[in-house]
Amino acid sequence: MDPQRETPKNSNPEHLIANRQEGIGVCGWILVSLSFLLVLITFPISIWACLKVIREYERAVVFRLGHILSKKAKGPGLILILPCTDTFIKVDLRTVTCNIPPQEILTKDAVTAQVDGVVYYRIHSAVRAVANVTDVHSATFLLAQTTLRNVLGTQSLAQLLAGREEIAHSIQAILDSATEQWGIKVARVEIKDVRIPVAMQRAMAAEAEAAREAKAKVVAAEGEMNASKALKQASVVLAESPAGLQLRYLQTLTTLAAENNSTIVFPLPINILESLGQKNRGG
């Protein structure tokens, strides 16, 4: 069976590329042999044009007569490029920071907002990044913008403001799955800022203030209710012991005298005055 027709059974892009480059034909091998012979004839001058240095954070995808060589990327270190038959493309494997500009979205509850974010990704397969997409960085950037708008459009404003971390993880999972065939690994997604209209900000501030005032009134009412219950219990106790009421009265006077240096009118209890009057009559 023709290998070209078996490709749909295997979804691995690197495997598909390997199948397509198995044979370069007799003419291809003749050209490669002539290129290698040219290098030998012009040695050592030609060696300077054939040797290429690949840095530690780079990989080189080498094409020989249009086919990817050895089914994988080369590097780091020195690689040999034959003149006339070989070309190569360098791929940077370092983490790339992709700033998503502010995107105007309409939330689930019909609120217009502007949201921007940042995506951190890196290339983990240089062969896929070169062979499966024209410009891997531009494609990832555009996909990140579209995914951000689509995901945030399914969230309400309250969910958007309170659940940024969960939304970022959801966007990361979608991007990671979509860019896997491009050789991309999405490391992190962050939502930087959420901007809402000024009128909406004022309405939300007024709503929050009203909610705080209502809560404060409820707390004050509960405090007054508890205080009234405590006073009722205290009045019952003091009614059973008149002397306790006098002691409480004297304690209050002591507290006032300690806090403020002022003249205090000390009224005598009526029962004490009556007992003194009876003693005077008896004398």
Side-chain angles (χ1 to χ4, degrees):
M1 185 179 291
D2 188 2
Q4 297 285 348
R5 298 179 181 176
E6 293 180 355
T7 54
K9 295 181 180 180
N10 196 325
S11 60
N12 189 341
E14 293 186 4
H15 183 73
L16 300 181
I17 293 169
N19 285 341
R20 289 196 295 267
Q21 66 100 40
E22 280 181 350
I24 59 177
V26 177
C27 294
W29 283 114
I30 293 173
L31 291 175
V32 171
S33 300
L34 291 176
S35 179
F36 189 73
L37 182 60
L38 178 63
V39 172
L40 292 179
I41 293 173
T42 58
F43 187 84
I45 298 175
S46 60
I47 198 66
W48 300 106
C50 295
L51 289 179
K52 304 296 181 181
V53 178
I54 305 301
R55 298 182 180 92
E56 181 68 30
Y57 55 84
E58 293 177 336
R59 296 295 182 270
V61 180
V62 181
F63 292 88
R64 176 163 294 170
L65 297 177
H67 297 276
I68 293 181
L69 185 63
S70 301
K71 309 177 186 179
K72 62 181 180 180
K74 304 293 185 180
L78 290 174
I79 63 173
L80 179 65
I81 302 297
L82 295 179
C84 304
T85 59
D86 292 357
T87 58
F88 74 100
I89 299 175
K90 285 184 180 181
V91 178
D92 196 328
L93 302 184
R94 292 177 293 183
T95 299
V96 179
T97 302
C98 175
N99 285 313
I100 304 176
Q103 304 293 308
E104 188 169 353
I105 63 170
L106 185 66
T107 61
K108 188 177 180 180
D109 49 354
V111 177
T112 303
Q114 286 189 344
V115 183
D116 57 356
V118 59
V119 178
Y120 300 92
Y121 68 91
R122 61 180 178 84
I123 297 175
H124 70 87
S125 175
V127 174
R128 295 185 186 184
V130 171
N132 292 346
V133 62
T134 304
D135 187 346
V136 65
H137 298 291
S138 176
T140 304
F141 174 70
L142 295 176
L143 182 62
Q145 286 184 330
T146 305
T147 305
L148 180 67
R149 288 195 297 266
N150 292 341
V151 172
L152 295 183
T154 62
Q155 306 291 325
S156 65
L157 182 60
Q159 293 173 338
L160 177 59
L161 296 176
R164 291 190 183 187
E165 186 174 353
E166 292 78 7
I167 296 174
H169 287 318
S170 176
I171 296 175
Q172 178 183 350
I174 295 174
L175 284 177
D176 200 21
S177 176
T179 57
E180 175 64 24
Q181 59 182 345
W182 300 341
I184 295 294
K185 175 63 179 177
V186 179
R188 190 177 183 87
V189 176
E190 291 291 343
I191 297 176
K192 294 197 298 185
D193 192 15
V194 178
R195 302 183 184 92
I196 58 178
V198 178
M200 179 62 64
Q201 294 181 14
R202 293 174 179 172
M204 293 176 64
E207 181 181 1
E209 185 177 359
R212 288 193 297 268
E213 290 180 354
K215 186 176 180 179
K217 291 180 179 179
V218 171
V219 172
E222 291 179 352
E224 291 181 357
M225 181 179 64
N226 294 332
S228 62
K229 291 180 179 179
L231 289 175
K232 179 181 178 181
Q233 294 176 358
S235 63
V236 173
V237 173
L238 293 176
E240 297 176 354
S241 177
L245 179 61
Q246 299 299 325
L247 292 176
R248 178 58 183 166
Y249 177 71
L250 294 174
Q251 184 180 2
T252 303
L253 292 177
T254 304
T255 303
L256 293 174
E259 292 179 356
N260 300 315
N261 296 325
S262 58
T263 302
I264 299 175
V265 178
F266 183 74
L268 290 175
I270 297 176
N271 53 0
I272 296 178
L273 294 177
E274 290 179 353
S275 61
L276 291 176
Q278 292 176 357
K279 291 180 180 181
N280 290 332
R281 292 192 195 97

